[in-house]
Amino acid sequence: GAGVSQSPRYKVAKRGQDVALRCDPISGHVSLFWYQQALGQGPEFLTYFQNEAQLDKSGLPSDRFFAERPEGSVSTLKIQRTQKEDSAVYLCASSPTWGGSTDTQYFGPGTRLTVL
Amino acid sequence: AQKITQTQPGMFVQEKEAVTLDCTYDTSDQSYGLFWYKQPSSGEMIFLIYQGSYDEQNATEGRYSLNFQKARKSANLVISASQLGDSAMYFCAMREAGAGSYQLTFGKGTKLSVIP
């Protein structure tokens, strides 16, 4: 079956522009996660959805970052007034159930954001 | 303190040989899951293997096995019969079962290069 898909794969923005990154999780997956991966680092957690409810947004670095999943499937990560330090790969992951410690997360290919 | 430590920034292995990638972790939870992911240059995080904290046997998946030593808080990945396609970044990650802890915490990764 289809895996997690993300679009666009690459995004170049001028500093100060707003961007929107899309994630299509695996069909039927309850949980959806966003991670940020800086160059040469491991991914870092941004936010978590269980269906349409955003249960954890503790990793969002500032109030310029906003995520939504209004119908419990597709999710959008929006970054307002982008800054150079926002340049990173943004990874989306989904998992089948509510997110226990045994629940495997399946990742998309990521969106590489470059802010000039 | 880092929750996941991968002490080998880079590793080289001869094709068809076995290689061990190190991972140590830090948690006070009794229930947790440990995961290994592979990230090729294309960027997608590919799930390899999972070990639960209560699992008594080491996990195996094809050429991948996890050497789990709970008392030492160690979860090393062993790749047998290395192939050229195994060249990639490898990340160890942990998911703690405590309330509100849904995300994966990743190490900084190990870059594996397989030499023909």
Side-chain angles (χ1 to χ4, degrees):
Chain A
V4 179
S5 62
Q6 292 185 245
S7 60
R9 290 293 314 276
Y10 304 91
K11 177 69 180 177
V12 178
K14 292 183 178 178
R15 189 164 58 92
Q17 283 185 332
D18 298 349
V19 298
L21 312 180
R22 177 187 168 105
C23 172
D24 280 270
I26 294 172
S27 178
H29 276 198
V30 169
S31 297
L32 186 145
F33 303 80
W34 284 99
Y35 293 84
Q36 180 189 57
Q37 186 176 20
L39 190 63
Q41 302 294 317
E44 292 193 353
F45 170 76
L46 293 177
T47 187
Y48 163 68
F49 290 87
Q50 192 176 113
N51 295 309
E52 68 278 2
Q54 188 175 21
L55 297 188
D56 188 350
K57 51 183 182 179
S58 62
L60 295 176
S62 77
D63 58 8
R64 296 184 296 103
F65 287 71
F66 171 77
E68 60 184 5
R69 194 187 185 198
E71 296 178 357
S73 56
V74 171
S75 176
T76 304
L77 176 67
K78 297 178 180 177
I79 309 173
Q80 297 176 325
R81 304 181 305 280
T82 51
Q83 304 294 314
K84 284 197 172 185
E85 59 265 28
D86 300 335
S87 295
V89 175
Y90 291 85
L91 294 164
C92 176
S94 69
S95 64
T97 63
W98 57 271
S101 63
T102 62
D103 212 23
T104 297
Q105 295 181 27
Y106 298 93
F107 283 78
T111 295
R112 182 179 296 277
L113 173 64
T114 303
V115 182
L116 302 177
Chain B
Q2 288 188 15
K3 288 202 170 186
I4 298 287
T5 302
Q6 294 180 254
T7 57
Q8 307 152 312
M11 289 278 287
F12 289 90
V13 64
Q14 203 76 36
E15 193 178 6
K16 300 180 184 176
E17 297 291 313
V19 63
T20 298
L21 306 184
D22 294 342
C23 173
T24 57
Y25 60 92
D26 183 25
T27 181
S28 55
D29 280 7
Q30 295 302 308
S31 179
Y32 51 89
L34 296 158
F35 301 79
W36 277 91
Y37 285 85
K38 172 184 178 181
Q39 189 175 42
S41 56
S42 59
E44 185 168 355
M45 298 285 284
I46 301 168
F47 166 71
L48 296 178
I49 196 167
Y50 161 81
Q51 178 86 41
S53 58
Y54 293 117
D55 294 342
E56 294 188 353
Q57 300 223 350
N58 287 343
T60 59
E61 289 285 349
R63 295 187 298 111
Y64 304 108
S65 60
L66 201 152
N67 184 0
F68 181 48
Q69 297 186 44
K70 192 170 182 177
R72 296 180 59 189
K73 294 189 174 178
S74 164
N76 298 340
L77 176 70
V78 180
I79 305 174
S80 63
S82 297
Q83 302 172 356
L84 295 178
D86 294 335
S87 294
M89 285 292 293
Y90 288 81
F91 289 95
C92 178
M94 176 173 64
R95 191 172 196 182
E96 295 162 289
S101 298
Y102 303 102
Q103 70 266 33
L104 288 169
T105 301
F106 287 85
K108 292 184 182 296
T110 295
K111 183 175 183 179
L112 178 67
S113 299
V114 181
I115 305 165

